[in-house]
Amino acid sequence: MSDKKLNIWFDFSNPPHVNLFLPLLKHFEQKGLSTHATARDFVETKGLLNKYGIDYQLFGKHGGKNRFAKIYNLVKRNYKLYQNIPEFDFNISSSFEAAQVSWLKRKPAIFFDDNEVAPNWVYSKFVKHVFIPSFIDPKLFIKDGIHQSKIIQYNGYKEHIYIADYKPDPDFKKLIPFDTFITIRPENLKASYVPDQAKSIVPELVDVLIKKGHNILFLPRYKDDQKYVSKHKQIFVPEGPLNGLDVCYYSEAVLTGAGTFAREAAILGTPAISFFAGKKLLSVDASMIKSKMMHHSRNVNEIMSILESSKKGKPNFKESKKVQREVLSLLEGIILKSNEIK
């Protein structure tokens, strides 16, 4: 058995990664392992890491909608990571760049994914393991070159992993100027999976909600998303990042162009309506829609009809804790066992 203290590198390249990997990072620190964090300068990623007191190195930024800019920033970030990342034994991330750098460093990468429509072939050859929810047919990842032996499935959604530790902030409502509100987060029109001709339905949605007398917490994804709303007493745009789980927990409903945010709200018992603009829904979203945990529509009238017939429920923390225990047990079987056999 080795006495070497293992070091795990976590890469946070997107805001949802902060919530997802934070409980994993803390768990392995409690187990006595060393951890190191890196981040990409992309929307709220830095702000969330700062809020949770996570020390990190910053490398790269998002390339926007332009394909060449994306490739350039990807390659540039890879080079910077390769040159500057401290020594590590494992990488845990949902980052293409981290997977590739791990392979170049000849270190195992553990990848978390629930998006079968993304260009997963970009990382398929560079990872040791891929964790995906059991709701996804593994063949959808195998077709992208991920060998079946690399795929590890767990019985839940990735959002369960971190909602398991969530405790509502009793002071959160002090940050919002309304007693009741509906949250809106725009589509990610700059994403590669969204058709170039796609347009946001947010302006129409906001207009209808205001006419119906609803207060709106508006969470812009990019600075230019501000154009979707005007100054209005029924609209509040926070100056900095808010805790997304608190937003979901305290909202009367969450209307979002992002699947992760909708799934978080659904698991927390808040009516969740996705107006995702991609050509095809993810398997995890389709699974939730089939079970009526959440809804999807890009028709404003239909969204309003769903909203009017929906009611808030209670979070199922017991289920979330069960999923988190399963994932941590699977990870320990990989990481801690590797140290025992060295």
Side-chain angles (χ1 to χ4, degrees), residues 189-190 200 202-203 218 220 222-230:
L189 297 183
K190 296 182 181 181
S200 179
V202 168
F218 183 71
Y222 304 103
K223 287 183 180 179
D224 54 5
D225 286 344
Q226 297 275 6
K227 67 178 180 291
Y228 297 143
V229 298
S230 58

PDB file of all heavy atoms in Angstrom, residues 189-190 200 202-203 218 220 222-230:
ATOM      1  N   LEU A 189     -28.013  30.814 -26.928  1.00  0.00           N
ATOM      2  CA  LEU A 189     -28.025  30.885 -28.388  1.00  0.00           C
ATOM      3  C   LEU A 189     -26.622  30.828 -28.997  1.00  0.00           C
ATOM      4  O   LEU A 189     -26.472  30.657 -30.204  1.00  0.00           O
ATOM      5  CB  LEU A 189     -28.735  32.159 -28.848  1.00  0.00           C
ATOM      6  CG  LEU A 189     -30.229  32.263 -28.463  1.00  0.00           C
ATOM      7  CD1 LEU A 189     -30.837  33.539 -29.038  1.00  0.00           C
ATOM      8  CD2 LEU A 189     -31.006  31.047 -28.928  1.00  0.00           C
ATOM      9  N   LYS A 190     -25.589  30.963 -28.158  1.00  0.00           N
ATOM     10  CA  LYS A 190     -24.217  30.891 -28.650  1.00  0.00           C
ATOM     11  C   LYS A 190     -23.682  29.452 -28.658  1.00  0.00           C
ATOM     12  O   LYS A 190     -22.588  29.207 -29.165  1.00  0.00           O
ATOM     13  CB  LYS A 190     -23.301  31.769 -27.799  1.00  0.00           C
ATOM     14  CG  LYS A 190     -23.623  33.253 -27.877  1.00  0.00           C
ATOM     15  CD  LYS A 190     -22.655  34.076 -27.039  1.00  0.00           C
ATOM     16  CE  LYS A 190     -22.991  35.573 -27.090  1.00  0.00           C
ATOM     17  NZ  LYS A 190     -22.047  36.384 -26.289  1.00  0.00           N
ATOM     18  N   SER A 200     -34.652  34.013 -29.511  1.00  0.00           N
ATOM     19  CA  SER A 200     -35.135  33.841 -28.147  1.00  0.00           C
ATOM     20  C   SER A 200     -36.635  34.127 -28.053  1.00  0.00           C
ATOM     21  O   SER A 200     -37.150  35.044 -28.697  1.00  0.00           O
ATOM     22  CB  SER A 200     -34.382  34.766 -27.197  1.00  0.00           C
ATOM     23  OG  SER A 200     -34.867  34.618 -25.875  1.00  0.00           O
ATOM     24  N   VAL A 202     -37.766  34.804 -25.050  1.00  0.00           N
ATOM     25  CA  VAL A 202     -37.813  35.499 -23.763  1.00  0.00           C
ATOM     26  C   VAL A 202     -38.584  36.825 -23.825  1.00  0.00           C
ATOM     27  O   VAL A 202     -39.408  37.088 -22.941  1.00  0.00           O
ATOM     28  CB  VAL A 202     -36.395  35.704 -23.196  1.00  0.00           C
ATOM     29  CG1 VAL A 202     -36.404  36.668 -22.012  1.00  0.00           C
ATOM     30  CG2 VAL A 202     -35.806  34.365 -22.776  1.00  0.00           C
ATOM     31  N   PRO A 203     -38.361  37.704 -24.827  1.00  0.00           N
ATOM     32  CA  PRO A 203     -39.114  38.969 -24.841  1.00  0.00           C
ATOM     33  C   PRO A 203     -40.629  38.762 -24.812  1.00  0.00           C
ATOM     34  O   PRO A 203     -41.338  39.446 -24.057  1.00  0.00           O
ATOM     35  CB  PRO A 203     -38.666  39.628 -26.149  1.00  0.00           C
ATOM     36  CG  PRO A 203     -37.308  39.070 -26.392  1.00  0.00           C
ATOM     37  CD  PRO A 203     -37.378  37.654 -25.923  1.00  0.00           C
ATOM     38  N   PHE A 218     -34.947  37.823 -13.384  1.00  0.00           N
ATOM     39  CA  PHE A 218     -34.344  37.564 -14.690  1.00  0.00           C
ATOM     40  C   PHE A 218     -32.851  37.333 -14.517  1.00  0.00           C
ATOM     41  O   PHE A 218     -32.125  38.178 -13.978  1.00  0.00           O
ATOM     42  CB  PHE A 218     -34.584  38.743 -15.633  1.00  0.00           C
ATOM     43  CG  PHE A 218     -34.056  38.515 -17.028  1.00  0.00           C
ATOM     44  CD1 PHE A 218     -34.676  37.622 -17.878  1.00  0.00           C
ATOM     45  CD2 PHE A 218     -32.924  39.182 -17.481  1.00  0.00           C
ATOM     46  CE1 PHE A 218     -34.193  37.394 -19.164  1.00  0.00           C
ATOM     47  CE2 PHE A 218     -32.434  38.971 -18.753  1.00  0.00           C
ATOM     48  CZ  PHE A 218     -33.077  38.073 -19.599  1.00  0.00           C
ATOM     49  N   PRO A 220     -29.718  36.831 -16.677  1.00  0.00           N
ATOM     50  CA  PRO A 220     -29.074  36.821 -18.003  1.00  0.00           C
ATOM     51  C   PRO A 220     -27.887  35.883 -18.026  1.00  0.00           C
ATOM     52  O   PRO A 220     -27.135  35.768 -17.058  1.00  0.00           O
ATOM     53  CB  PRO A 220     -28.639  38.275 -18.192  1.00  0.00           C
ATOM     54  CG  PRO A 220     -28.525  38.828 -16.810  1.00  0.00           C
ATOM     55  CD  PRO A 220     -29.561  38.124 -15.995  1.00  0.00           C
ATOM     56  N   TYR A 222     -25.586  36.017 -20.712  1.00  0.00           N
ATOM     57  CA  TYR A 222     -24.542  36.894 -21.226  1.00  0.00           C
ATOM     58  C   TYR A 222     -24.991  38.345 -21.030  1.00  0.00           C
ATOM     59  O   TYR A 222     -26.186  38.620 -20.822  1.00  0.00           O
ATOM     60  CB  TYR A 222     -24.304  36.650 -22.723  1.00  0.00           C
ATOM     61  CG  TYR A 222     -23.965  35.225 -23.071  1.00  0.00           C
ATOM     62  CD1 TYR A 222     -24.915  34.377 -23.629  1.00  0.00           C
ATOM     63  CD2 TYR A 222     -22.685  34.721 -22.842  1.00  0.00           C
ATOM     64  CE1 TYR A 222     -24.602  33.059 -23.951  1.00  0.00           C
ATOM     65  CE2 TYR A 222     -22.372  33.409 -23.157  1.00  0.00           C
ATOM     66  CZ  TYR A 222     -23.330  32.586 -23.714  1.00  0.00           C
ATOM     67  OH  TYR A 222     -23.022  31.288 -24.026  1.00  0.00           O
ATOM     68  N   LYS A 223     -24.047  39.271 -21.108  1.00  0.00           N
ATOM     69  CA  LYS A 223     -24.386  40.686 -20.938  1.00  0.00           C
ATOM     70  C   LYS A 223     -25.421  41.148 -21.955  1.00  0.00           C
ATOM     71  O   LYS A 223     -26.306  41.942 -21.647  1.00  0.00           O
ATOM     72  CB  LYS A 223     -23.123  41.545 -21.042  1.00  0.00           C
ATOM     73  CG  LYS A 223     -22.199  41.435 -19.830  1.00  0.00           C
ATOM     74  CD  LYS A 223     -21.001  42.358 -19.959  1.00  0.00           C
ATOM     75  CE  LYS A 223     -20.092  42.245 -18.736  1.00  0.00           C
ATOM     76  NZ  LYS A 223     -18.904  43.134 -18.853  1.00  0.00           N
ATOM     77  N   ASP A 224     -25.310  40.649 -23.196  1.00  0.00           N
ATOM     78  CA  ASP A 224     -26.249  41.108 -24.210  1.00  0.00           C
ATOM     79  C   ASP A 224     -27.644  40.505 -24.054  1.00  0.00           C
ATOM     80  O   ASP A 224     -28.572  40.865 -24.781  1.00  0.00           O
ATOM     81  CB  ASP A 224     -25.712  40.876 -25.630  1.00  0.00           C
ATOM     82  CG  ASP A 224     -25.296  39.434 -25.883  1.00  0.00           C
ATOM     83  OD1 ASP A 224     -25.515  38.602 -24.995  1.00  0.00           O
ATOM     84  OD2 ASP A 224     -24.760  39.163 -26.978  1.00  0.00           O
ATOM     85  N   ASP A 225     -27.823  39.603 -23.091  1.00  0.00           N
ATOM     86  CA  ASP A 225     -29.170  39.106 -22.789  1.00  0.00           C
ATOM     87  C   ASP A 225     -30.034  40.194 -22.140  1.00  0.00           C
ATOM     88  O   ASP A 225     -31.265  40.064 -22.086  1.00  0.00           O
ATOM     89  CB  ASP A 225     -29.106  37.904 -21.844  1.00  0.00           C
ATOM     90  CG  ASP A 225     -28.624  36.638 -22.536  1.00  0.00           C
ATOM     91  OD1 ASP A 225     -28.632  36.603 -23.780  1.00  0.00           O
ATOM     92  OD2 ASP A 225     -28.233  35.694 -21.830  1.00  0.00           O
ATOM     93  N   GLN A 226     -29.383  41.238 -21.654  1.00  0.00           N
ATOM     94  CA  GLN A 226     -30.118  42.343 -21.020  1.00  0.00           C
ATOM     95  C   GLN A 226     -31.100  42.979 -21.994  1.00  0.00           C
ATOM     96  O   GLN A 226     -32.102  43.577 -21.572  1.00  0.00           O
ATOM     97  CB  GLN A 226     -29.129  43.408 -20.523  1.00  0.00           C
ATOM     98  CG  GLN A 226     -28.167  42.939 -19.456  1.00  0.00           C
ATOM     99  CD  GLN A 226     -28.751  43.024 -18.055  1.00  0.00           C
ATOM    100  OE1 GLN A 226     -29.917  43.325 -17.878  1.00  0.00           O
ATOM    101  NE2 GLN A 226     -27.937  42.758 -17.057  1.00  0.00           N
ATOM    102  N   LYS A 227     -30.850  42.839 -23.282  1.00  0.00           N
ATOM    103  CA  LYS A 227     -31.728  43.456 -24.280  1.00  0.00           C
ATOM    104  C   LYS A 227     -33.119  42.839 -24.286  1.00  0.00           C
ATOM    105  O   LYS A 227     -34.062  43.404 -24.839  1.00  0.00           O
ATOM    106  CB  LYS A 227     -31.108  43.338 -25.674  1.00  0.00           C
ATOM    107  CG  LYS A 227     -30.999  41.912 -26.225  1.00  0.00           C
ATOM    108  CD  LYS A 227     -30.419  41.913 -27.633  1.00  0.00           C
ATOM    109  CE  LYS A 227     -30.289  40.492 -28.205  1.00  0.00           C
ATOM    110  NZ  LYS A 227     -29.241  39.725 -27.510  1.00  0.00           N
ATOM    111  N   TYR A 228     -33.256  41.666 -23.678  1.00  0.00           N
ATOM    112  CA  TYR A 228     -34.553  40.995 -23.665  1.00  0.00           C
ATOM    113  C   TYR A 228     -35.533  41.630 -22.690  1.00  0.00           C
ATOM    114  O   TYR A 228     -36.725  41.354 -22.744  1.00  0.00           O
ATOM    115  CB  TYR A 228     -34.384  39.514 -23.286  1.00  0.00           C
ATOM    116  CG  TYR A 228     -33.570  38.711 -24.271  1.00  0.00           C
ATOM    117  CD1 TYR A 228     -32.697  37.715 -23.825  1.00  0.00           C
ATOM    118  CD2 TYR A 228     -33.665  38.917 -25.648  1.00  0.00           C
ATOM    119  CE1 TYR A 228     -31.951  36.953 -24.709  1.00  0.00           C
ATOM    120  CE2 TYR A 228     -32.916  38.166 -26.539  1.00  0.00           C
ATOM    121  CZ  TYR A 228     -32.067  37.189 -26.069  1.00  0.00           C
ATOM    122  OH  TYR A 228     -31.328  36.440 -26.946  1.00  0.00           O
ATOM    123  N   VAL A 229     -35.020  42.420 -21.750  1.00  0.00           N
ATOM    124  CA  VAL A 229     -35.899  43.036 -20.745  1.00  0.00           C
ATOM    125  C   VAL A 229     -35.606  44.530 -20.640  1.00  0.00           C
ATOM    126  O   VAL A 229     -34.510  44.987 -20.948  1.00  0.00           O
ATOM    127  CB  VAL A 229     -35.728  42.386 -19.353  1.00  0.00           C
ATOM    128  CG1 VAL A 229     -36.114  40.924 -19.390  1.00  0.00           C
ATOM    129  CG2 VAL A 229     -34.301  42.543 -18.847  1.00  0.00           C
ATOM    130  N   SER A 230     -36.599  45.277 -20.233  1.00  0.00           N
ATOM    131  CA  SER A 230     -36.435  46.713 -19.980  1.00  0.00           C
ATOM    132  C   SER A 230     -36.619  46.953 -18.490  1.00  0.00           C
ATOM    133  O   SER A 230     -37.025  46.046 -17.742  1.00  0.00           O
ATOM    134  CB  SER A 230     -37.480  47.509 -20.775  1.00  0.00           C
ATOM    135  OG  SER A 230     -38.788  47.088 -20.430  1.00  0.00           O
TER     136      SER A 230
END
